[in-house]
Amino acid sequence: MRLLVTGAGGLLGGRLCRAWAEKHELCALVHTSPCKLDIDSRRLDLRDTDAIPALLEEVQPEAVIHCAAEARPAEFAREPKGARLLNVDAPAAIAAWCRRRDRRLVHCSSDTVYPGEGPLRGEHSRTAPANAYGASKLASEQAVLQALPEAEVLRLSLLYGEPLSQGNSFSRWLIDRAQAGGPVPVFHDNLRNMLAVSQLEALIERLLEIPLGGVTNVGGREGLSREAFARRLFERLDLDPGLLRPGSQDDVELPVPLPRDLRMDLSRLEDYWDGEWPGVDAGLAAEYPAA
């Protein structure tokens, strides 16, 4: 299958490209971070939405996996128009092209569309983002589904795993802090269904073969705090748990407060998977196999 992966310089996009380099005909789309793989790659600033249809016409993908997004809170404050162009207008343009050409689209959204009041928010639960990033992801969902109702819209939890070069990997941040001698601050009042990149690779691969369509919550089976996840990671890698400094969001001045409880109901995902959906221990074993 000919696939276009956006955000190929980041954690998820890079890992998808590595996993599929021998399986599919890939085009990796990057902006500033390079693609580290020997595959067809193109550079495009997706904020230039007028250039998106021409690129897609040139590449002619059978499906687009849209991973690119602006997730840095400071950018929403510094350049809100640019953040909206990337997070809302770009996926809307991609979805419109996919509808015109009858192509598939997997759009990566976020659990931050929920209000953070948890636990166990279902796909039809109230959406009330607590910050500008979550609001942009909710707007992107609405734009994508309006243009292409059969698109796969994945509300992703916090990702962990090993990036190819860059990428927002919570586990790699924890490891780097520990290997530098700590301390490693972790919140006990931010709960998520932490998701291994390898789990997401397998899911998207299946969605390309067996469509589900619409909005799906995607996370690991267990809802854990950042502290609880860090302890499981440190145990897996034999890192010193004494380096961890648990605390509350209330103890620090965050540029943007985090929603406290984003645990999700994964029933739709688990029914689709038709088997036991992995938890954190399985995810950690896949991302950090024993030496």
Side-chain angles (χ1 to χ4, degrees):
M1 183 178 288
R2 180 151 179 79
L3 304 176
L4 174 70
V5 179
T6 73
L11 172 62
L12 175 57
R15 286 284 302 271
L16 290 176
C17 287
R18 185 179 71 180
W20 296 344
E22 304 298 325
K23 298 180 183 179
H24 298 288
E25 185 182 355
L26 292 179
C27 178
L29 191 64
V30 298
H31 178 207
T32 56
S33 301
C35 177
K36 298 281 189 176
L37 301 167
D38 185 20
I39 59 175
D40 180 20
S41 64
R42 315 289 177 93
R43 285 192 179 274
L44 181 68
D45 184 346
L46 288 170
R47 293 172 296 184
D48 182 5
T49 55
D50 291 339
I52 291 173
L55 173 82
L56 292 169
E57 286 294 328
E58 180 183 344
V59 175
Q60 286 293 322
E62 297 172 66
V64 178
I65 295 83
H66 182 54
C67 308
E70 178 56 74
R72 295 169 296 178
E75 284 301 300
F76 284 90
R78 188 182 70 83
E79 188 57 51
K81 182 179 179 181
R84 181 175 177 85
L85 283 170
L86 181 55
N87 283 16
V88 182
D89 296 358
I94 293 170
W97 184 88
C98 289
R99 181 172 183 173
R100 288 195 302 272
R101 297 300 187 212
D102 191 25
R103 307 299 166 85
R104 303 277 307 283
L105 173 60
V106 178
H107 172 62
C108 295
S109 185
S110 168
D111 58 0
T112 58
V113 303
Y114 295 120
E117 300 166 349
L120 300 180
R121 315 292 298 188
E123 287 88 353
H124 298 291
S125 296
R126 180 173 70 95
T127 52
N131 55 45
Y133 170 69
S136 75
K137 298 307 283 185
L138 180 59
S140 77
E141 293 184 5
Q142 295 164 345
V144 164
L145 291 172
Q146 182 176 5
L148 188 69
E150 64 272 27
E152 308 286 352
V153 174
L154 308 182
R155 287 179 177 165
L156 305 180
S157 187
L158 184 63
L159 294 178
Y160 65 89
E162 284 301 287
L164 300 189
S165 55
Q166 299 183 19
N168 184 22
S169 169
F170 181 48
S171 57
R172 174 40 60 187
W173 180 85
L174 291 168
I175 294 166
D176 288 346
R177 290 291 296 251
Q179 291 178 339
V184 185
V186 283
F187 295 131
H188 59 67
D189 54 357
N190 175 239
L191 284 76
R192 312 281 288 272
N193 294 92
M194 312 290 186
L195 178 64
V197 183
S198 52
Q199 294 172 248
L200 190 50
E201 290 171 3
L203 174 64
I204 296 176
E205 179 83 18
R206 180 166 180 168
L207 287 169
L208 293 173
E209 297 295 327
I210 309 172
L212 179 59
V215 176
T216 306
N217 290 338
V218 183
R221 191 174 66 246
E222 302 144 274
L224 298 173
S225 69
R226 291 181 184 242
E227 176 193 357
F229 172 82
R231 293 191 182 282
R232 300 271 276 274
L233 174 68
F234 276 39
E235 181 180 3
R236 173 79 192 174
L237 298 181
D238 198 26
L239 297 171
D240 181 8
L243 296 173
L244 295 172
R245 297 292 184 271
S248 167
Q249 295 184 64
D250 299 332
D251 300 334
V252 296
E253 186 174 344
L254 294 172
V256 177
L258 299 171
R260 293 181 185 273
D261 191 344
L262 287 171
R263 287 175 289 174
M264 296 183 291
D265 181 346
L266 303 178
S267 298
R268 188 172 198 252
L269 170 64
E270 291 172 333
D271 289 345
Y272 170 78
W273 194 250
D274 194 27
E276 186 175 53
W277 182 246
V280 167
D281 288 339
L284 288 174
E287 293 297 325
Y288 302 101

